[in-house]
Amino acid sequence: MKIHQETEKKIDLLLSQMTLHEKVGQLHQVAPSKVGGFEVSAEEAKAMYEAGEIDEREYEAALNHTALFLHDDAIRRGEIGSFISVQDADMANRLQKIAVEESRLGIPLIFGLDVIHGYRTIFPIPLAEACSFNDGIFESSAQVAAREASEDGVNWTFAPMADIARDARWGRIAEGAGEDPYLASRFAAAKVRGFQGKELSDRDRIAACIKHFAAYGACAGGRDYDTVDMSLPLFYEIYLPPYAAAVRAGCATAMAAFNDLNGVPCTTNRFLLQTLLREKLGFNGFVISDANAIRECINHGTARNEREAAKQALEAGLDMDLGANVYTACLEDMVNKGELAVQYLDAAVRNILRVKFALGLFDHPYADTPEKKRTALCADHRAAARDAAKRSIVLLKNENRTLPLSKTANIAVVGSVANDRQAMLGTWSFTGSAAAAISLVDALGMRNASFRFVPCCSETDPLDEEQLQKALEGADIVLAALSYQASGEAQSCCHLTLPGDQSRMLETISRCGKPVVSVLFNGRPVAVPEVVAYSDAVLEAWHLGTEAGSAVCDVLFGDYNPSGRLTATFPNASGECPVYYNHPSTGRPRGAAKWTSKYMDSPLTPLFPFGYGLSYTTFSYGELSLRIEGDCVTATVPVTNDGEMAGEETVQLYIHRRCAQRVRPVRELKGYQKVFLQPGETKEVSMTVTKDELGYYAVDGNWDTGESDFDIWLAHDSTSGSKGEFRL
Ligand code: BGC
């Protein structure tokens, strides 16, 4: 975000007119729940009431879904700067009218919501969408979400999540672009462009929020909210780049993470929020806490009470309080008593007002009237979702050309998830609707495929052997829909194997002598070697959103040749986590010999590596050629489509620095490019890396681009490729 002197002057004027009370109001975001932007459930409301956190009136309003009507007077008094959870233009306009027309200074509210992978039209979860390696898709799906959300009065989304995740036990791995900092950086920047557009004030754009700053994905043991302890070089090289990329792309807001980083809660971490975010990265927007996180500093034990937590957070650079109501409770009194300098308050208000000005809220505070045609779930948006979904699917195995399916095959479809629309949507899809989603069974029906669906088993329903035998009768081929639904926030799991009897079902099917195609519906890498062993073909279908079923059928029947590549490593067993391709070189690299870095009871290589994915055709790579010009190295390779079907290859550029003071990763992704090839066609693919991009953090903490020998690959995935060497 740019600083405009005109705007700063307007902010100066407002600040000079605001009372202390009104200033604190700007920092207050009203949230229905202590755990985020959802309506509170009856159980949570009861617990809050019993704990004295809400009064009887609020309790009843929570039960009657009328909580949003309780704040009129507070808005009028200038005590509220923002709401999370409004998703209706009439409601937004009603609240906004009070702020603009009835509060003393008429400062507009900003309405935030978690619009993570689509709004009404749900797109693939980020972990899946990243598999498309397609920046155009990353951007356009965010643009569609922004358009639909803005029509319902939403000004601001809490996305993109740019947390690198190397551990599939962490349920929130679903919400980010996976394990690689380069890909995640391109993903985060594209999302910011998609949400915000060129002008944040355009009616169909919304402010983005880079989260969770910082390193939330490295929580110990993959347990959500747990501690993060890491060296600064690891933080700078692996975890920081995606947040930095989003800031460079102009991201208007940031959210501090729940976790502590090296002992200091991110919520009160001045080094993160000031030194790094503002001074080093040049961020000019505002920072919001995560839900209730300011108060949770008391649980961290770094603040003794709410006053201390509020003071630490504000002084660290945390501008807006999401749902803890701690700023409202403490700040005014602390300034009055001389315990807190008003400058901190002014700085936070300034940051928030700057974003409100940039969004154009002072000039156009209202969402368009409901008479205006809504685009939610329109044909164009559904088509975009289907396109993104089919490009996110990863073909993991395809023996004997089992896929694509013949359009006339008699298919036995088993596994309850095949008929489960809700399961298509995945985490953070509360604004979407299962009724609008297309399941696998729906899509097979829409295509008039010859199939019979028998659920047989689910994650929780035991295998019905009789049903299964019936399902197999007369079928040419078996389509097994397999499910691992746990995914998202507070969904950490230490077992990454398929729940229930699903593997046993697959084993039984594999003995019937018919080809078996497994389709996995999940939001994280799973440890499923048995699925691979029992199946002739395996398709990773993630949570692909509203158009999931249609996209899966596009791939199953060969209307689309799969091109997705994994963005997170799949382990053989849960105990392999954390597992990732770009690990530092050890002194005893993994190998068959005993005294090498490996597990005794698991294979040497993961089930599927980063960047992996098959196609219905095969691509071969010719010899790599290198050209060094100035500070740039350009690698070129001819890629040929050797098969009989046109298809798209994702060419990935990896490097390895051979000479460094600090141990370097065995490989690092530094580029990717898609290339579409007709059968028999060859195209040259070239990518350039600069000397700066080849650098690393040396022992003294400086970015070192000193001369070194390098290995370089243009590759199909992180384990293969045409290799070259150079010195730069
Ligand atoms: C999550 C955030 C989310 C917030 C508001 C929190 O629990 O960690 O990612 O934006 O809730 O819903």
Side-chain angles (χ1 to χ4, degrees), residues 237-270:
E237 284 170 3
I238 302 292
Y239 288 87
L240 183 61
Y243 308 115
V247 172
R248 276 196 304 275
C251 194
T253 73
M255 182 182 283
F258 281 124
N259 55 282
D260 74 285
L261 179 60
N262 299 336
V264 184
C266 296
T267 308
T268 56
N269 196 319
R270 192 173 166 78

Tab-separated table of all heavy atoms in Angstrom, residues 237-270:
chain	number	residue	atom	x	y	z
A	237	GLU	N	14.687	-17.759	5.511
A	237	GLU	CA	14.787	-18.417	4.198
A	237	GLU	C	13.523	-19.165	3.805
A	237	GLU	O	13.149	-19.194	2.638
A	237	GLU	CB	15.971	-19.393	4.184
A	237	GLU	CG	17.304	-18.665	4.070
A	237	GLU	CD	18.505	-19.583	4.307
A	237	GLU	OE1	18.317	-20.788	4.505
A	237	GLU	OE2	19.633	-19.058	4.311
A	238	ILE	N	12.870	-19.792	4.770
A	238	ILE	CA	11.742	-20.663	4.426
A	238	ILE	C	10.395	-20.034	4.779
A	238	ILE	O	9.450	-20.101	4.000
A	238	ILE	CB	11.878	-22.037	5.136
A	238	ILE	CG1	13.209	-22.712	4.756
A	238	ILE	CG2	10.683	-22.936	4.827
A	238	ILE	CD1	13.315	-23.154	3.317
A	239	TYR	N	10.276	-19.458	5.946
A	239	TYR	CA	8.947	-19.050	6.425
A	239	TYR	C	8.565	-17.615	6.061
A	239	TYR	O	7.403	-17.321	5.803
A	239	TYR	CB	8.845	-19.275	7.945
A	239	TYR	CG	8.761	-20.755	8.251
A	239	TYR	CD1	9.910	-21.534	8.406
A	239	TYR	CD2	7.521	-21.394	8.313
A	239	TYR	CE1	9.829	-22.898	8.630
A	239	TYR	CE2	7.429	-22.759	8.531
A	239	TYR	CZ	8.587	-23.504	8.698
A	239	TYR	OH	8.492	-24.860	8.895
A	240	LEU	N	9.536	-16.723	6.037
A	240	LEU	CA	9.219	-15.315	5.806
A	240	LEU	C	8.849	-14.971	4.347
A	240	LEU	O	7.970	-14.117	4.118
A	240	LEU	CB	10.398	-14.440	6.282
A	240	LEU	CG	10.208	-12.929	6.191
A	240	LEU	CD1	9.042	-12.463	7.059
A	240	LEU	CD2	11.495	-12.200	6.607
A	241	PRO	N	9.504	-15.600	3.344
A	241	PRO	CA	9.284	-15.120	1.964
A	241	PRO	C	7.827	-14.980	1.510
A	241	PRO	O	7.492	-13.963	0.891
A	241	PRO	CB	10.052	-16.137	1.113
A	241	PRO	CG	11.145	-16.614	2.012
A	241	PRO	CD	10.534	-16.657	3.387
A	242	PRO	N	6.923	-15.930	1.812
A	242	PRO	CA	5.552	-15.724	1.311
A	242	PRO	C	4.855	-14.501	1.914
A	242	PRO	O	4.115	-13.803	1.219
A	242	PRO	CB	4.823	-17.010	1.718
A	242	PRO	CG	5.893	-18.008	1.965
A	242	PRO	CD	7.085	-17.253	2.448
A	243	TYR	N	5.098	-14.225	3.202
A	243	TYR	CA	4.491	-13.016	3.790
A	243	TYR	C	5.080	-11.777	3.100
A	243	TYR	O	4.367	-10.825	2.770
A	243	TYR	CB	4.783	-12.898	5.288
A	243	TYR	CG	4.461	-14.115	6.130
A	243	TYR	CD1	5.474	-14.826	6.771
A	243	TYR	CD2	3.148	-14.536	6.307
A	243	TYR	CE1	5.192	-15.930	7.572
A	243	TYR	CE2	2.856	-15.644	7.103
A	243	TYR	CZ	3.890	-16.337	7.731
A	243	TYR	OH	3.612	-17.426	8.511
A	244	ALA	N	6.401	-11.829	2.900
A	244	ALA	CA	7.074	-10.672	2.292
A	244	ALA	C	6.542	-10.442	0.877
A	244	ALA	O	6.337	-9.290	0.463
A	244	ALA	CB	8.585	-10.907	2.268
A	245	ALA	N	6.302	-11.519	0.158
A	245	ALA	CA	5.792	-11.387	-1.217
A	245	ALA	C	4.422	-10.724	-1.212
A	245	ALA	O	4.107	-9.902	-2.075
A	245	ALA	CB	5.717	-12.764	-1.877
A	246	ALA	N	3.600	-11.087	-0.235
A	246	ALA	CA	2.260	-10.484	-0.151
A	246	ALA	C	2.374	-8.994	0.169
A	246	ALA	O	1.635	-8.175	-0.378
A	246	ALA	CB	1.430	-11.194	0.911
A	247	VAL	N	3.288	-8.651	1.049
A	247	VAL	CA	3.464	-7.233	1.394
A	247	VAL	C	3.944	-6.470	0.151
A	247	VAL	O	3.423	-5.398	-0.171
A	247	VAL	CB	4.471	-7.068	2.564
A	247	VAL	CG1	4.793	-5.595	2.785
A	247	VAL	CG2	3.896	-7.682	3.838
A	248	ARG	N	4.888	-7.056	-0.568
A	248	ARG	CA	5.371	-6.399	-1.802
A	248	ARG	C	4.238	-6.220	-2.803
A	248	ARG	O	4.207	-5.265	-3.569
A	248	ARG	CB	6.499	-7.217	-2.436
A	248	ARG	CG	7.874	-6.931	-1.831
A	248	ARG	CD	8.982	-7.457	-2.745
A	248	ARG	NE	8.836	-8.870	-3.030
A	248	ARG	CZ	9.294	-9.850	-2.242
A	248	ARG	NH1	9.937	-9.557	-1.130
A	248	ARG	NH2	9.103	-11.113	-2.566
A	249	ALA	N	3.294	-7.153	-2.799
A	249	ALA	CA	2.159	-7.053	-3.732
A	249	ALA	C	1.135	-6.022	-3.249
A	249	ALA	O	0.111	-5.821	-3.895
A	249	ALA	CB	1.509	-8.421	-3.904
A	250	GLY	N	1.387	-5.419	-2.089
A	250	GLY	CA	0.512	-4.334	-1.635
A	250	GLY	C	-0.560	-4.750	-0.651
A	250	GLY	O	-1.555	-4.033	-0.475
A	251	CYS	N	-0.377	-5.871	0.000
A	251	CYS	CA	-1.412	-6.376	0.912
A	251	CYS	C	-1.759	-5.318	1.974
A	251	CYS	O	-0.881	-4.760	2.634
A	251	CYS	CB	-0.912	-7.649	1.583
A	251	CYS	SG	-2.225	-8.543	2.395
A	252	ALA	N	-3.056	-5.062	2.136
A	252	ALA	CA	-3.494	-3.934	2.969
A	252	ALA	C	-3.448	-4.221	4.461
A	252	ALA	O	-3.336	-3.294	5.254
A	252	ALA	CB	-4.910	-3.528	2.565
A	253	THR	N	-3.588	-5.488	4.834
A	253	THR	CA	-3.599	-5.789	6.272
A	253	THR	C	-2.822	-7.072	6.545
A	253	THR	O	-2.501	-7.825	5.620
A	253	THR	CB	-5.046	-5.951	6.817
A	253	THR	OG1	-5.586	-7.187	6.346
A	253	THR	CG2	-5.953	-4.811	6.396
A	254	ALA	N	-2.542	-7.289	7.822
A	254	ALA	CA	-1.842	-8.511	8.238
A	254	ALA	C	-2.471	-8.994	9.531
A	254	ALA	O	-3.003	-8.192	10.309
A	254	ALA	CB	-0.362	-8.221	8.449
A	255	MET	N	-2.411	-10.297	9.761
A	255	MET	CA	-2.914	-10.853	11.018
A	255	MET	C	-1.757	-11.499	11.766
A	255	MET	O	-1.014	-12.303	11.197
A	255	MET	CB	-4.004	-11.901	10.745
A	255	MET	CG	-4.608	-12.499	12.018
A	255	MET	SD	-5.854	-13.773	11.662
A	255	MET	CE	-7.256	-12.773	11.194
A	256	ALA	N	-1.626	-11.126	13.045
A	256	ALA	CA	-0.576	-11.740	13.861
A	256	ALA	C	-1.001	-13.160	14.225
A	256	ALA	O	-2.179	-13.431	14.434
A	256	ALA	CB	-0.366	-10.917	15.125
A	257	ALA	N	-0.025	-14.049	14.299
A	257	ALA	CA	-0.332	-15.461	14.544
A	257	ALA	C	-0.598	-15.720	16.026
A	257	ALA	O	-0.164	-14.971	16.891
A	257	ALA	CB	0.832	-16.317	14.064
A	258	PHE	N	-1.296	-16.818	16.300
A	258	PHE	CA	-1.585	-17.225	17.672
A	258	PHE	C	-0.317	-17.603	18.452
A	258	PHE	O	-0.232	-17.403	19.649
A	258	PHE	CB	-2.447	-18.496	17.659
A	258	PHE	CG	-3.901	-18.288	17.390
A	258	PHE	CD1	-4.533	-18.946	16.347
A	258	PHE	CD2	-4.672	-17.488	18.223
A	258	PHE	CE1	-5.890	-18.803	16.121
A	258	PHE	CE2	-6.032	-17.340	18.007
A	258	PHE	CZ	-6.640	-17.998	16.952
A	259	ASN	N	0.622	-18.218	17.739
A	259	ASN	CA	1.756	-18.868	18.403
A	259	ASN	C	2.778	-17.866	18.923
A	259	ASN	O	2.793	-16.704	18.523
A	259	ASN	CB	2.459	-19.801	17.409
A	259	ASN	CG	2.866	-19.085	16.144
A	259	ASN	OD1	2.038	-18.843	15.283
A	259	ASN	ND2	4.130	-18.719	16.037
A	260	ASP	N	3.648	-18.365	19.786
A	260	ASP	CA	4.835	-17.575	20.110
A	260	ASP	C	5.915	-17.947	19.102
A	260	ASP	O	5.930	-19.062	18.564
A	260	ASP	CB	5.322	-17.872	21.533
A	260	ASP	CG	6.004	-19.226	21.641
A	260	ASP	OD1	5.288	-20.244	21.635
A	260	ASP	OD2	7.248	-19.265	21.685
A	261	LEU	N	6.791	-17.023	18.818
A	261	LEU	CA	7.932	-17.308	17.953
A	261	LEU	C	9.191	-17.092	18.785
A	261	LEU	O	9.437	-15.964	19.249
A	261	LEU	CB	7.926	-16.404	16.718
A	261	LEU	CG	9.099	-16.594	15.754
A	261	LEU	CD1	9.151	-18.016	15.195
A	261	LEU	CD2	9.021	-15.604	14.587
A	262	ASN	N	9.893	-18.150	19.007
A	262	ASN	CA	11.094	-18.111	19.851
A	262	ASN	C	10.821	-17.449	21.196
A	262	ASN	O	11.620	-16.665	21.705
A	262	ASN	CB	12.242	-17.403	19.119
A	262	ASN	CG	12.606	-18.132	17.835
A	262	ASN	OD1	12.352	-19.325	17.712
A	262	ASN	ND2	13.187	-17.431	16.879
A	263	GLY	N	9.666	-17.757	21.745
A	263	GLY	CA	9.367	-17.339	23.111
A	263	GLY	C	8.540	-16.077	23.253
A	263	GLY	O	8.088	-15.764	24.347
A	264	VAL	N	8.328	-15.351	22.181
A	264	VAL	CA	7.515	-14.128	22.290
A	264	VAL	C	6.226	-14.325	21.472
A	264	VAL	O	6.301	-14.611	20.269
A	264	VAL	CB	8.277	-12.893	21.746
A	264	VAL	CG1	7.451	-11.632	21.963
A	264	VAL	CG2	9.636	-12.773	22.408
A	265	PRO	N	5.066	-14.202	22.117
A	265	PRO	CA	3.824	-14.337	21.337
A	265	PRO	C	3.847	-13.366	20.152
A	265	PRO	O	4.246	-12.203	20.303
A	265	PRO	CB	2.721	-13.957	22.335
A	265	PRO	CG	3.318	-14.187	23.681
A	265	PRO	CD	4.801	-13.919	23.536
A	266	CYS	N	3.413	-13.843	18.990
A	266	CYS	CA	3.419	-12.967	17.806
A	266	CYS	C	2.545	-11.737	18.054
A	266	CYS	O	2.817	-10.652	17.535
A	266	CYS	CB	2.921	-13.733	16.586
A	266	CYS	SG	4.006	-15.100	16.158
A	267	THR	N	1.507	-11.898	18.849
A	267	THR	CA	0.580	-10.810	19.158
A	267	THR	C	1.286	-9.627	19.823
A	267	THR	O	0.868	-8.482	19.669
A	267	THR	CB	-0.512	-11.357	20.114
A	267	THR	OG1	-1.065	-12.535	19.526
A	267	THR	CG2	-1.595	-10.356	20.379
A	268	THR	N	2.326	-9.895	20.572
A	268	THR	CA	3.014	-8.814	21.301
A	268	THR	C	4.475	-8.720	20.859
A	268	THR	O	5.327	-8.261	21.601
A	268	THR	CB	2.960	-9.074	22.823
A	268	THR	OG1	3.528	-10.371	23.079
A	268	THR	CG2	1.542	-9.043	23.347
A	269	ASN	N	4.740	-9.156	19.648
A	269	ASN	CA	6.123	-9.299	19.186
A	269	ASN	C	6.547	-8.066	18.378
A	269	ASN	O	6.292	-7.960	17.175
A	269	ASN	CB	6.208	-10.575	18.328
A	269	ASN	CG	7.621	-11.025	18.119
A	269	ASN	OD1	8.508	-10.194	17.898
A	269	ASN	ND2	7.836	-12.331	18.183
A	270	ARG	N	7.206	-7.153	19.055
A	270	ARG	CA	7.583	-5.896	18.409
A	270	ARG	C	8.567	-6.124	17.262
A	270	ARG	O	8.516	-5.454	16.230
A	270	ARG	CB	8.193	-4.956	19.463
A	270	ARG	CG	8.350	-3.555	18.960
A	270	ARG	CD	8.796	-2.564	20.008
A	270	ARG	NE	9.222	-1.363	19.315
A	270	ARG	CZ	8.399	-0.451	18.825
A	270	ARG	NH1	7.103	-0.577	18.982
A	270	ARG	NH2	8.868	0.592	18.181
